[in-house]
Amino acid sequence: MNILTLAGVMVILFSMSWQLALLSLIPIPIIIITLIQYAKRVRPAFVYRQQELGTLNAILNDSISGVKEIQAFTREDLTMHRVGKQIETYLESNLKALKLMATYTPLYDFAAGLGQLIVIFFGSRLALQGNLQVADLVAFFLYLDSFYQPVRNLSNSWEAVQESLAGFERVAEMLNETPDVLPPEHPIPLLKPVRGEIRFDNVFFRYNPEEAFVLENINLDIPAGKTTALVGPTGVGKSTLVSLIPRFYDVSSGKLTVDGIDVRDLDLHELRANISMVLQDVFLFHGTIRENILFGKPDATEAEMLAAAKIANVDEFIAHMPNGYNTLIGERGIKLSGGQKQRISIARAVLKNSPILILDEATSAVDTETELLIQQALDRLIVGRTTIIIAHRLSTVRNADQIVVLEGCTITEKGTHEELLAAHGLYYKLYTVQQNLTLIPAEDAQD
Ligand SMILES: Nc1ncnc2c1ncn2[C@@H]1O[C@H](COP(=O)(O)OP(=O)(O)OP(=O)(O)O)[C@@H](O)[C@H]1O
Ligand SMILES: [Mg+2]
Protein backbone atom coordinates (compact mmCIF):
# COMPACT_ATOMS: atom_id res chain seq x y z
CA MET A 1 0.00 0.00 0.00
CA ASN A 2 2.82 2.37 0.91
CA ILE A 3 4.63 1.70 -2.34
CA LEU A 4 1.44 2.31 -4.37
CA THR A 5 0.73 5.58 -2.53
CA LEU A 6 4.32 6.64 -3.05
CA ALA A 7 4.18 5.92 -6.79
CA GLY A 8 0.79 7.67 -7.18
CA VAL A 9 1.87 10.80 -5.31
CA MET A 10 5.10 10.97 -7.30
CA VAL A 11 3.14 11.01 -10.55
CA ILE A 12 0.90 13.82 -9.22
CA LEU A 13 3.85 15.85 -7.90
CA PHE A 14 5.77 15.61 -11.16
CA SER A 15 2.69 16.59 -13.18
CA MET A 16 2.17 19.66 -10.99
CA SER A 17 5.74 20.95 -11.08
CA TRP A 18 8.63 18.82 -12.16
CA GLN A 19 11.20 21.28 -10.78
CA LEU A 20 9.68 21.22 -7.31
CA ALA A 21 9.19 17.44 -7.48
CA LEU A 22 12.88 16.96 -8.27
CA LEU A 23 13.82 19.24 -5.37
CA SER A 24 11.64 17.28 -3.00
CA LEU A 25 13.69 14.18 -3.84
CA ILE A 26 16.86 15.72 -2.34
CA PRO A 27 16.35 14.17 1.14
CA ILE A 28 15.89 10.67 -0.38
CA PRO A 29 19.65 9.82 -0.39
CA ILE A 30 19.80 10.80 3.28
CA ILE A 31 16.97 8.36 3.99
CA ILE A 32 18.64 5.57 2.00
CA ILE A 33 21.98 6.10 3.75
CA THR A 34 20.17 6.05 7.09
CA LEU A 35 18.46 2.78 6.17
CA ILE A 36 21.75 1.14 5.19
CA GLN A 37 23.47 2.36 8.32
CA TYR A 38 20.53 1.19 10.34
CA ALA A 39 20.83 -2.35 9.03
CA LYS A 40 24.58 -2.31 9.59
CA ARG A 41 24.59 -1.05 13.17
CA VAL A 42 21.20 -1.66 14.73
CA ARG A 43 20.69 -5.23 13.55
CA PRO A 44 23.87 -6.61 15.18
CA ALA A 45 22.73 -4.91 18.39
CA PHE A 46 19.44 -6.80 18.17
CA VAL A 47 21.25 -10.08 17.41
CA TYR A 48 23.38 -9.48 20.50
CA ARG A 49 20.30 -8.74 22.57
CA GLN A 50 18.74 -12.01 21.38
CA GLN A 51 21.85 -13.97 22.42
CA GLU A 52 21.82 -12.40 25.86
CA LEU A 53 18.16 -13.33 26.23
CA GLY A 54 19.05 -16.93 25.29
CA THR A 55 21.78 -17.02 27.95
CA LEU A 56 19.42 -15.56 30.52
CA ASN A 57 16.83 -18.23 29.76
CA ALA A 58 19.45 -20.97 30.03
CA ILE A 59 20.70 -19.70 33.40
CA LEU A 60 17.17 -19.33 34.74
CA ASN A 61 16.24 -22.82 33.56
CA ASP A 62 19.37 -24.29 35.18
CA SER A 63 18.78 -22.49 38.44
CA ILE A 64 15.18 -23.63 38.66
CA SER A 65 15.83 -27.29 37.74
CA GLY A 66 18.89 -27.37 39.99
CA VAL A 67 17.25 -25.72 42.98
CA LYS A 68 17.94 -28.76 45.23
CA GLU A 69 21.65 -28.77 44.38
CA ILE A 70 21.85 -25.02 44.94
CA GLN A 71 20.32 -25.45 48.40
CA ALA A 72 22.42 -28.51 49.24
CA PHE A 73 25.63 -26.63 48.42
CA THR A 74 24.25 -23.35 49.87
CA ARG A 75 24.94 -21.51 46.65
CA GLU A 76 21.79 -19.36 46.75
CA ASP A 77 23.69 -16.06 46.85
CA LEU A 78 26.05 -17.06 44.08
CA THR A 79 23.16 -18.21 41.88
CA MET A 80 21.14 -15.08 42.58
CA HIS A 81 24.17 -13.02 41.73
CA ARG A 82 24.63 -14.94 38.47
CA VAL A 83 21.00 -14.50 37.46
CA GLY A 84 21.03 -10.84 38.50
CA LYS A 85 24.19 -10.17 36.54
CA GLN A 86 22.76 -11.77 33.42
CA ILE A 87 19.54 -9.75 33.79
CA GLU A 88 21.69 -6.62 33.89
CA THR A 89 23.66 -7.70 30.82
CA TYR A 90 20.44 -8.37 28.99
CA LEU A 91 19.00 -5.04 30.11
CA GLU A 92 22.11 -3.24 28.85
CA SER A 93 22.05 -5.00 25.50
CA ASN A 94 18.38 -4.20 25.16
CA LEU A 95 18.90 -0.53 26.03
CA LYS A 96 21.82 -0.31 23.64
CA ALA A 97 19.74 -1.67 20.77
CA LEU A 98 16.84 0.63 21.59
CA LYS A 99 19.11 3.68 21.93
CA LEU A 100 20.63 3.00 18.53
CA MET A 101 17.16 2.63 17.10
CA ALA A 102 16.15 5.90 18.76
CA THR A 103 19.13 7.69 17.17
CA TYR A 104 18.22 6.65 13.67
CA THR A 105 14.46 7.15 13.80
CA PRO A 106 14.60 11.02 14.09
CA LEU A 107 16.87 11.09 11.05
CA TYR A 108 13.89 10.15 8.88
CA ASP A 109 11.84 12.97 10.37
CA PHE A 110 14.75 15.31 9.80
CA ALA A 111 14.99 14.27 6.16
CA ALA A 112 11.24 14.76 5.68
CA GLY A 113 11.39 18.17 7.34
CA LEU A 114 14.29 19.13 5.13
CA GLY A 115 12.21 18.24 2.07
CA GLN A 116 9.36 20.48 3.22
CA LEU A 117 11.78 23.32 3.88
CA ILE A 118 13.24 23.03 0.40
CA VAL A 119 9.79 23.01 -1.19
CA ILE A 120 8.66 26.10 0.78
CA PHE A 121 11.85 27.98 -0.07
CA PHE A 122 12.00 27.27 -3.77
CA GLY A 123 8.23 26.92 -4.23
CA SER A 124 7.52 30.39 -2.84
CA ARG A 125 10.18 31.86 -5.12
CA LEU A 126 8.59 30.22 -8.15
CA ALA A 127 5.21 31.53 -7.01
CA LEU A 128 6.54 35.07 -6.52
CA GLN A 129 8.13 34.97 -9.98
CA GLY A 130 4.75 33.96 -11.31
CA ASN A 131 5.94 30.58 -12.54
CA LEU A 132 3.67 28.71 -10.16
CA GLN A 133 0.12 29.33 -8.96
CA VAL A 134 -0.16 29.87 -5.20
CA ALA A 135 -3.02 27.37 -5.17
CA ASP A 136 -0.73 24.81 -6.86
CA LEU A 137 1.98 25.47 -4.29
CA VAL A 138 -0.49 24.81 -1.45
CA ALA A 139 -1.71 21.64 -3.15
CA PHE A 140 1.87 20.52 -3.76
CA PHE A 141 2.70 21.16 -0.13
CA LEU A 142 -0.26 19.12 1.08
CA TYR A 143 0.59 16.25 -1.28
CA LEU A 144 4.17 16.30 -0.01
CA ASP A 145 2.96 14.97 3.32
CA SER A 146 1.47 11.97 1.51
CA PHE A 147 4.88 11.52 -0.09
CA TYR A 148 7.00 11.40 3.06
CA GLN A 149 4.42 9.51 5.13
CA PRO A 150 4.73 6.29 3.06
CA VAL A 151 8.53 6.71 3.17
CA ARG A 152 8.32 6.91 6.95
CA ASN A 153 6.00 3.89 7.09
CA LEU A 154 8.34 1.91 4.89
CA SER A 155 11.28 2.74 7.12
CA ASN A 156 9.27 1.69 10.16
CA SER A 157 8.59 -1.65 8.47
CA TRP A 158 12.30 -1.81 7.71
CA GLU A 159 13.04 -1.47 11.43
CA ALA A 160 10.60 -4.24 12.26
CA VAL A 161 12.10 -6.43 9.54
CA GLN A 162 15.61 -5.82 10.87
CA GLU A 163 14.54 -6.70 14.39
CA SER A 164 12.86 -9.89 13.19
CA LEU A 165 15.86 -10.78 11.04
CA ALA A 166 18.02 -10.64 14.16
CA GLY A 167 15.78 -13.29 15.70
CA PHE A 168 15.61 -15.22 12.47
CA GLU A 169 19.40 -15.37 12.22
CA ARG A 170 19.45 -17.32 15.48
CA VAL A 171 16.72 -19.69 14.34
CA ALA A 172 18.43 -20.16 10.98
CA GLU A 173 21.66 -21.19 12.74
CA MET A 174 19.67 -24.01 14.32
CA LEU A 175 17.85 -24.96 11.10
CA ASN A 176 21.08 -25.05 9.10
CA GLU A 177 22.65 -27.50 11.52
CA THR A 178 23.06 -30.85 9.72
CA PRO A 179 21.82 -33.68 11.93
CA ASP A 180 24.46 -36.25 12.90
CA VAL A 181 22.12 -39.04 11.95
CA LEU A 182 20.62 -38.74 8.47
CA PRO A 183 17.74 -40.94 7.35
CA PRO A 184 18.54 -43.09 4.29
CA GLU A 185 17.16 -41.97 0.93
CA HIS A 186 15.94 -45.45 0.01
CA PRO A 187 15.28 -47.31 3.25
CA ILE A 188 15.28 -51.11 3.22
CA PRO A 189 12.26 -52.51 5.07
CA LEU A 190 12.84 -55.02 7.87
CA LEU A 191 11.54 -58.52 7.16
CA LYS A 192 8.48 -59.38 9.23
CA PRO A 193 8.43 -60.79 11.81
CA VAL A 194 11.47 -58.88 13.08
CA ARG A 195 13.84 -61.33 14.75
CA GLY A 196 16.10 -58.80 16.39
CA GLU A 197 19.48 -60.28 15.59
CA ILE A 198 22.13 -57.62 16.16
CA ARG A 199 25.68 -57.71 14.92
CA PHE A 200 28.62 -55.38 15.51
CA ASP A 201 31.18 -55.75 12.78
CA ASN A 202 34.55 -54.13 13.49
CA VAL A 203 32.85 -51.12 15.03
CA PHE A 204 34.83 -48.08 16.11
CA PHE A 205 33.10 -45.12 17.66
CA ARG A 206 33.98 -41.70 19.04
CA TYR A 207 31.70 -38.85 20.01
CA ASN A 208 33.86 -36.19 18.33
CA PRO A 209 36.38 -36.47 15.53
CA GLU A 210 38.94 -34.66 17.74
CA GLU A 211 38.50 -37.07 20.64
CA ALA A 212 39.83 -40.54 21.28
CA PHE A 213 37.75 -43.59 20.40
CA VAL A 214 35.29 -44.66 23.09
CA LEU A 215 34.75 -48.03 21.41
CA GLU A 216 37.39 -49.85 19.39
CA ASN A 217 37.23 -52.95 17.30
CA ILE A 218 33.89 -54.21 18.57
CA ASN A 219 32.90 -57.54 17.05
CA LEU A 220 29.81 -58.91 18.66
CA ASP A 221 26.94 -61.20 17.75
CA ILE A 222 23.80 -60.64 19.72
CA PRO A 223 21.63 -63.62 18.80
CA ALA A 224 17.92 -63.18 18.27
CA GLY A 225 15.65 -64.05 21.14
CA LYS A 226 18.51 -64.46 23.62
CA THR A 227 19.71 -62.38 26.55
CA THR A 228 23.06 -60.71 26.33
CA ALA A 229 24.55 -58.99 29.35
CA LEU A 230 27.06 -56.18 29.08
CA VAL A 231 29.34 -55.65 32.06
CA GLY A 232 32.50 -53.73 32.77
CA PRO A 233 33.95 -50.84 34.75
CA THR A 234 32.18 -47.50 34.81
CA GLY A 235 32.84 -45.18 31.86
CA VAL A 236 34.03 -48.00 29.63
CA GLY A 237 31.36 -47.44 26.98
CA LYS A 238 28.46 -49.78 27.77
CA SER A 239 25.74 -47.15 27.40
CA THR A 240 27.51 -45.82 24.33
CA LEU A 241 27.51 -49.27 22.74
CA VAL A 242 23.77 -49.78 23.15
CA SER A 243 22.97 -46.23 22.00
CA LEU A 244 24.38 -47.15 18.59
CA ILE A 245 21.63 -49.74 18.06
CA PRO A 246 18.70 -47.26 17.76
CA ARG A 247 21.09 -44.93 15.88
CA PHE A 248 21.27 -42.22 18.49
CA TYR A 249 24.77 -42.00 17.02
CA ASP A 250 26.32 -43.52 13.94
CA VAL A 251 29.39 -45.73 14.08
CA SER A 252 32.63 -43.95 13.14
CA SER A 253 33.74 -46.99 11.16
CA GLY A 254 32.63 -50.58 10.82
CA LYS A 255 29.06 -51.77 10.56
CA LEU A 256 26.11 -52.44 12.81
CA THR A 257 23.32 -54.60 11.47
CA VAL A 258 19.86 -55.58 12.68
CA ASP A 259 18.55 -58.78 11.06
CA GLY A 260 21.42 -58.52 8.60
CA ILE A 261 20.62 -54.98 7.41
CA ASP A 262 22.92 -52.05 8.15
CA VAL A 263 21.03 -49.77 10.54
CA ARG A 264 21.97 -46.82 8.30
CA ASP A 265 19.83 -48.37 5.54
CA LEU A 266 16.79 -48.83 7.75
CA ASP A 267 13.97 -46.38 8.10
CA LEU A 268 14.80 -44.62 11.40
CA HIS A 269 11.21 -44.76 12.56
CA GLU A 270 10.86 -48.46 11.81
CA LEU A 271 14.18 -49.27 13.50
CA ARG A 272 13.29 -47.42 16.67
CA ALA A 273 9.75 -48.80 16.71
CA ASN A 274 11.31 -52.23 17.16
CA ILE A 275 13.46 -51.28 20.14
CA SER A 276 12.29 -50.70 23.71
CA MET A 277 14.77 -48.96 25.94
CA VAL A 278 15.11 -48.27 29.61
CA LEU A 279 17.79 -45.62 29.71
CA GLN A 280 20.25 -45.09 32.52
CA ASP A 281 18.98 -41.56 33.18
CA VAL A 282 15.25 -41.97 33.54
CA PHE A 283 13.24 -39.15 32.06
CA LEU A 284 9.55 -38.86 32.81
CA PHE A 285 7.19 -36.25 31.44
CA HIS A 286 5.02 -33.86 33.35
CA GLY A 287 1.67 -35.58 33.59
CA THR A 288 0.05 -38.58 35.23
CA ILE A 289 1.63 -41.96 35.85
CA ARG A 290 -0.82 -43.47 33.34
CA GLU A 291 0.23 -41.02 30.63
CA ASN A 292 3.87 -41.81 31.26
CA ILE A 293 3.36 -45.56 30.96
CA LEU A 294 1.14 -45.12 27.87
CA PHE A 295 3.99 -43.18 26.29
CA GLY A 296 5.30 -46.60 25.29
CA LYS A 297 2.13 -47.34 23.31
CA PRO A 298 -0.51 -44.59 23.32
CA ASP A 299 -3.29 -46.83 21.96
CA ALA A 300 -2.83 -49.59 24.53
CA THR A 301 -5.89 -50.84 26.36
CA GLU A 302 -6.30 -50.39 30.11
CA ALA A 303 -5.63 -54.12 30.61
CA GLU A 304 -2.36 -53.95 28.64
CA MET A 305 -1.28 -50.92 30.62
CA LEU A 306 -2.05 -52.64 33.92
CA ALA A 307 -0.20 -55.78 32.83
CA ALA A 308 2.92 -53.75 32.01
CA ALA A 309 2.66 -51.93 35.32
CA LYS A 310 2.46 -55.28 37.11
CA ILE A 311 5.59 -56.62 35.41
CA ALA A 312 7.54 -53.52 36.38
CA ASN A 313 6.15 -53.73 39.92
CA VAL A 314 4.57 -50.30 39.56
CA ASP A 315 1.27 -51.58 40.96
CA GLU A 316 2.94 -52.10 44.33
CA PHE A 317 3.48 -48.38 45.02
CA ILE A 318 0.45 -47.20 43.05
CA ALA A 319 -1.69 -48.53 45.89
CA HIS A 320 -0.27 -45.80 48.15
CA MET A 321 -0.82 -43.00 45.67
CA PRO A 322 -3.86 -40.82 46.35
CA ASN A 323 -5.09 -40.86 42.76
CA GLY A 324 -3.62 -44.15 41.62
CA TYR A 325 -2.55 -44.09 37.99
CA ASN A 326 -3.95 -40.58 37.66
CA THR A 327 -1.43 -39.16 40.13
CA LEU A 328 0.40 -36.20 38.67
CA ILE A 329 4.15 -36.62 38.89
CA GLY A 330 5.46 -33.13 38.22
CA GLU A 331 8.18 -32.08 35.85
CA ARG A 332 10.82 -34.77 35.23
CA GLY A 333 9.03 -36.95 37.77
CA ILE A 334 10.30 -35.03 40.77
CA LYS A 335 7.48 -36.22 42.98
CA LEU A 336 8.67 -39.83 42.83
CA SER A 337 11.56 -41.78 44.34
CA GLY A 338 14.42 -42.94 42.11
CA GLY A 339 13.22 -46.54 42.22
CA GLN A 340 9.62 -45.55 41.44
CA LYS A 341 10.73 -43.59 38.40
CA GLN A 342 12.80 -46.52 37.22
CA ARG A 343 9.86 -48.88 37.54
CA ILE A 344 7.62 -46.55 35.52
CA SER A 345 10.26 -46.40 32.81
CA ILE A 346 10.40 -50.21 32.75
CA ALA A 347 6.60 -50.39 32.47
CA ARG A 348 6.78 -47.93 29.58
CA ALA A 349 9.34 -50.09 27.76
CA VAL A 350 7.44 -53.29 28.51
CA LEU A 351 4.22 -51.83 27.12
CA LYS A 352 5.97 -50.97 23.86
CA ASN A 353 6.38 -54.73 23.43
CA SER A 354 9.10 -54.70 20.78
CA PRO A 355 11.38 -57.54 19.62
CA ILE A 356 14.48 -55.82 21.00
CA LEU A 357 14.65 -54.80 24.65
CA ILE A 358 17.55 -52.80 26.09
CA LEU A 359 17.83 -52.35 29.83
CA ASP A 360 20.60 -49.98 30.90
CA GLU A 361 21.00 -50.21 34.67
CA ALA A 362 17.23 -50.62 34.79
CA THR A 363 17.05 -51.87 38.35
CA SER A 364 19.99 -50.02 39.90
CA ALA A 365 17.78 -47.81 42.06
CA VAL A 366 15.48 -50.44 43.52
CA ASP A 367 16.09 -52.62 46.56
CA THR A 368 17.25 -56.20 46.17
CA GLU A 369 13.82 -57.62 46.91
CA THR A 370 12.06 -55.44 44.31
CA GLU A 371 14.86 -56.18 41.87
CA LEU A 372 14.21 -59.88 42.32
CA LEU A 373 10.48 -59.39 41.71
CA ILE A 374 11.12 -57.33 38.56
CA GLN A 375 13.75 -59.84 37.47
CA GLN A 376 11.27 -62.71 37.75
CA ALA A 377 8.62 -60.80 35.82
CA LEU A 378 11.18 -59.80 33.17
CA ASP A 379 12.37 -63.40 32.88
CA ARG A 380 8.92 -64.26 31.60
CA LEU A 381 8.81 -61.24 29.34
CA ILE A 382 12.21 -61.64 27.69
CA VAL A 383 11.49 -65.09 26.35
CA GLY A 384 11.82 -64.89 22.57
CA ARG A 385 13.00 -61.29 22.71
CA THR A 386 16.50 -60.04 22.01
CA THR A 387 17.42 -58.54 25.33
CA ILE A 388 20.50 -56.57 26.27
CA ILE A 389 21.05 -55.96 29.94
CA ILE A 390 23.66 -53.63 31.37
CA ALA A 391 24.21 -54.08 35.08
CA HIS A 392 26.85 -53.46 37.69
CA ARG A 393 25.30 -55.95 40.10
CA LEU A 394 26.57 -59.13 38.49
CA SER A 395 24.12 -61.32 40.37
CA THR A 396 21.41 -59.94 38.07
CA VAL A 397 23.12 -61.07 34.87
CA ARG A 398 24.39 -64.52 35.77
CA ASN A 399 21.51 -66.23 33.96
CA ALA A 400 22.14 -64.42 30.68
CA ASP A 401 22.81 -66.58 27.63
CA GLN A 402 25.90 -64.56 26.90
CA ILE A 403 27.90 -62.20 29.08
CA VAL A 404 30.14 -59.66 27.37
CA VAL A 405 32.89 -57.91 29.30
CA LEU A 406 33.96 -54.48 28.08
CA GLU A 407 37.32 -53.24 29.26
CA GLY A 408 39.38 -50.31 28.00
CA CYS A 409 37.27 -49.53 24.90
CA THR A 410 36.92 -53.07 23.67
CA ILE A 411 35.54 -56.53 24.38
CA THR A 412 37.92 -58.65 26.40
CA GLU A 413 35.75 -61.58 27.43
CA LYS A 414 32.65 -63.32 26.18
CA GLY A 415 30.80 -66.38 27.41
CA THR A 416 28.34 -67.73 29.93
CA HIS A 417 28.63 -67.10 33.65
CA GLU A 418 30.30 -70.47 34.24
CA GLU A 419 32.71 -70.09 31.33
CA LEU A 420 33.78 -66.64 32.46
CA LEU A 421 34.31 -67.77 36.05
CA ALA A 422 36.47 -70.60 34.80
CA ALA A 423 38.49 -68.17 32.69
CA HIS A 424 39.65 -66.28 35.80
CA GLY A 425 39.62 -62.92 34.02
CA LEU A 426 38.07 -59.54 34.88
CA TYR A 427 34.58 -61.03 35.24
CA TYR A 428 35.88 -63.56 37.74
CA LYS A 429 37.59 -60.77 39.71
CA LEU A 430 34.54 -58.48 39.73
CA TYR A 431 32.24 -61.34 40.62
CA THR A 432 34.33 -62.62 43.52
CA VAL A 433 34.76 -59.08 44.89
CA GLN A 434 30.97 -58.57 44.81
CA GLN A 435 30.35 -61.99 46.34
CA ASN A 436 32.84 -61.30 49.15
CA LEU A 437 31.28 -57.92 49.86
CA THR A 438 27.95 -59.54 50.49
CA LEU A 439 29.53 -62.35 52.51
CA ILE A 440 31.77 -60.27 54.82
CA PRO A 441 29.97 -59.69 58.12
CA ALA A 442 29.47 -56.05 59.09
CA GLU A 443 32.17 -56.07 61.88
CA ASP A 444 34.83 -57.40 59.53
CA ALA A 445 33.97 -54.90 56.86
CA GLN A 446 34.80 -52.06 59.23
CA ASP A 447 38.38 -53.26 59.78
N1 LIG B 1 27.46 -37.48 24.83
C1 LIG B 1 28.76 -37.70 25.03
N2 LIG B 1 29.69 -36.92 24.43
C2 LIG B 1 31.00 -37.15 24.61
N3 LIG B 1 31.51 -38.14 25.37
C3 LIG B 1 30.64 -38.95 25.99
C4 LIG B 1 29.24 -38.79 25.86
N4 LIG B 1 28.62 -39.73 26.58
C5 LIG B 1 29.60 -40.47 27.14
N5 LIG B 1 30.81 -40.01 26.79
C6 LIG B 1 32.11 -40.60 27.16
O1 LIG B 1 32.16 -41.92 26.67
C7 LIG B 1 32.73 -42.79 27.61
C8 LIG B 1 31.82 -43.99 27.84
O2 LIG B 1 30.62 -43.54 28.45
P1 LIG B 1 29.40 -44.51 28.74
O3 LIG B 1 28.30 -43.71 29.26
O4 LIG B 1 29.15 -45.33 27.52
O5 LIG B 1 30.00 -45.45 29.88
P2 LIG B 1 29.30 -46.62 30.66
O6 LIG B 1 30.12 -47.84 30.43
O7 LIG B 1 27.86 -46.71 30.34
O8 LIG B 1 29.50 -46.15 32.17
P3 LIG B 1 28.55 -46.37 33.44
O9 LIG B 1 28.77 -47.75 33.90
O10 LIG B 1 29.07 -45.37 34.41
O11 LIG B 1 27.15 -46.09 33.02
C9 LIG B 1 33.02 -41.99 28.84
O12 LIG B 1 34.40 -41.74 28.90
C10 LIG B 1 32.26 -40.69 28.66
O13 LIG B 1 33.02 -39.62 29.15
MG1 LIG C 1 26.13 -46.28 31.33
Side-chain angles (χ1 to χ4, degrees):
M1 202 176 74
N2 284 316
I3 290 171
L4 280 180
T5 316
L6 201 59
V9 172
M10 285 259 275
V11 170
I12 296 174
L13 289 184
F14 270 94
S15 66
M16 288 172 83
S17 160
W18 63 269
Q19 300 100 320
L20 267 190
L22 274 181
L23 286 170
S24 63
L25 291 181
I26 288 177
I28 297 294
I30 301 181
I31 292 177
I32 290 174
I33 291 170
T34 314
L35 290 181
I36 293 170
Q37 283 300 316
Y38 187 89
K40 223 163 51 194
R41 297 196 48 201
V42 183
R43 191 157 118 206
F46 275 112
V47 171
Y48 180 69
R49 182 191 77 165
Q50 217 73 14
Q51 283 166 349
E52 291 305 325
L53 182 63
T55 314
L56 176 61
N57 279 333
I59 293 181
L60 268 181
N61 192 16
D62 257 12
S63 312
I64 294 169
S65 335
V67 68
K68 283 251 170 61
E69 280 74 11
I70 293 170
Q71 286 171 341
F73 289 90
T74 57
R75 289 288 175 272
E76 288 94 340
D77 289 347
L78 194 91
T79 311
M80 257 152 68
H81 180 71
R82 240 179 106 207
V83 173
K85 221 172 137 196
Q86 185 55 33
I87 289 179
E88 262 170 43
T89 317
Y90 169 60
L91 177 75
E92 273 163 26
S93 67
N94 198 5
L95 279 179
K96 194 175 159 218
L98 293 177
K99 267 184 202 158
L100 268 175
M101 195 167 135
T103 331
Y104 281 99
T105 313
L107 278 177
Y108 302 124
D109 292 332
F110 169 75
L114 189 69
Q116 284 169 340
L117 217 67
I118 292 172
V119 167
I120 292 175
F121 184 76
F122 291 101
S124 48
R125 286 180 151 222
L126 284 176
L128 285 176
Q129 288 160 6
N131 293 333
L132 188 71
Q133 299 272 313
V134 176
D136 277 350
L137 179 61
V138 173
F140 194 96
F141 196 73
L142 289 177
Y143 270 121
L144 203 58
D145 218 30
S146 307
F147 175 68
Y148 289 118
Q149 191 54 45
V151 173
R152 204 169 303 154
N153 289 347
L154 282 173
S155 62
N156 281 344
S157 314
W158 179 251
E159 281 171 20
V161 166
Q162 292 301 319
E163 201 182 329
S164 315
L165 274 179
F168 175 73
E169 254 175 52
R170 303 253 307 151
V171 177
E173 264 172 42
M174 205 62 116
L175 290 176
N176 286 334
E177 196 71 33
T178 15
D180 291 333
V181 173
L182 289 169
E185 271 183 39
H186 305 289
I188 303 174
L190 275 170
L191 276 185
K192 305 283 166 349
V194 176
R195 293 169 46 240
E197 181 197 28
I198 302 163
R199 187 184 200 132
F200 286 79
D201 203 356
N202 239 335
V203 166
F204 283 71
F205 175 76
R206 54 182 160 195
Y207 281 98
N208 287 304
E210 310 87 51
E211 287 172 14
F213 282 107
V214 175
L215 295 171
E216 285 176 3
N217 208 11
I218 304 289
N219 285 294
L220 178 63
D221 260 321
I222 300 178
K226 296 276 167 58
T227 301
T228 298
L230 216 54
V231 302
T234 175
V236 79
K238 303 180 294 294
S239 300
T240 306
L241 190 140
V242 294
S243 68
L244 298 178
I245 302 171
R247 265 192 97 192
F248 289 155
Y249 305 97
D250 271 336
V251 298
S252 307
S253 74
K255 201 164 91 168
L256 167 59
T257 62
V258 170
D259 283 0
I261 306 171
D262 194 321
V263 285
R264 285 168 293 193
D265 293 329
L266 291 169
D267 177 63
L268 255 189
H269 197 259
E270 186 184 20
L271 170 69
R272 291 178 182 168
N274 283 295
I275 302 173
S276 292
M277 285 190 112
V278 177
L279 296 178
Q280 195 167 11
D281 315 304
V282 175
F283 184 95
L284 298 178
F285 294 94
H286 180 70
T288 63
I289 294 179
R290 172 181 276 103
E291 282 165 356
N292 269 286
I293 298 179
L294 284 177
F295 197 75
K297 187 182 171 199
D299 56 349
T301 63
E302 183 73 7
E304 283 174 318
M305 196 276 293
L306 290 175
K310 195 164 169 51
I311 287 175
N313 221 13
V314 171
D315 58 344
E316 185 254 342
F317 69 83
I318 282 292
H320 310 297
M321 296 273 168
N323 295 317
Y325 286 96
N326 293 326
T327 307
L328 274 174
I329 55 171
E331 266 171 71
R332 284 173 155 259
I334 46 174
K335 289 180 189 163
L336 294 172
S337 78
Q340 289 169 340
K341 276 187 260 182
Q342 235 172 12
R343 282 182 271 172
I344 292 178
S345 76
I346 295 177
R348 176 170 75 183
V350 165
L351 188 62
K352 192 173 170 191
N353 192 21
S354 54
I356 298 171
L357 179 65
I358 297 172
L359 306 167
D360 191 351
E361 295 286 351
T363 51
S364 58
V366 300
D367 57 75
T368 331
E369 198 181 330
T370 311
E371 179 170 21
L372 201 68
L373 285 173
I374 297 178
Q375 199 71 44
Q376 286 166 354
L378 282 179
D379 281 346
R380 267 173 275 134
L381 180 88
I382 61 185
V383 176
R385 227 178 273 273
T386 311
T387 311
I388 302 170
I389 300 178
I390 299 177
H392 280 294
R393 259 187 259 172
L394 299 184
S395 54
T396 57
V397 302
R398 54 182 297 173
N399 293 328
D401 298 297
Q402 168 180 236
I403 299 172
V404 177
V405 183
L406 268 183
E407 200 183 345
C409 308
T410 192
I411 296 171
T412 50
E413 291 175 56
K414 235 185 281 188
T416 62
H417 175 70
E418 285 73 26
E419 285 166 2
L420 290 181
L421 281 189
H424 279 246
L426 179 70
Y427 183 80
Y428 171 79
K429 257 188 262 166
L430 293 174
Y431 189 75
T432 34
V433 169
Q434 288 192 5
Q435 282 302 97
N436 288 340
L437 280 181
T438 46
L439 292 179
I440 296 170
E443 303 89 44
D444 293 0
Q446 282 169 0
D447 292 344

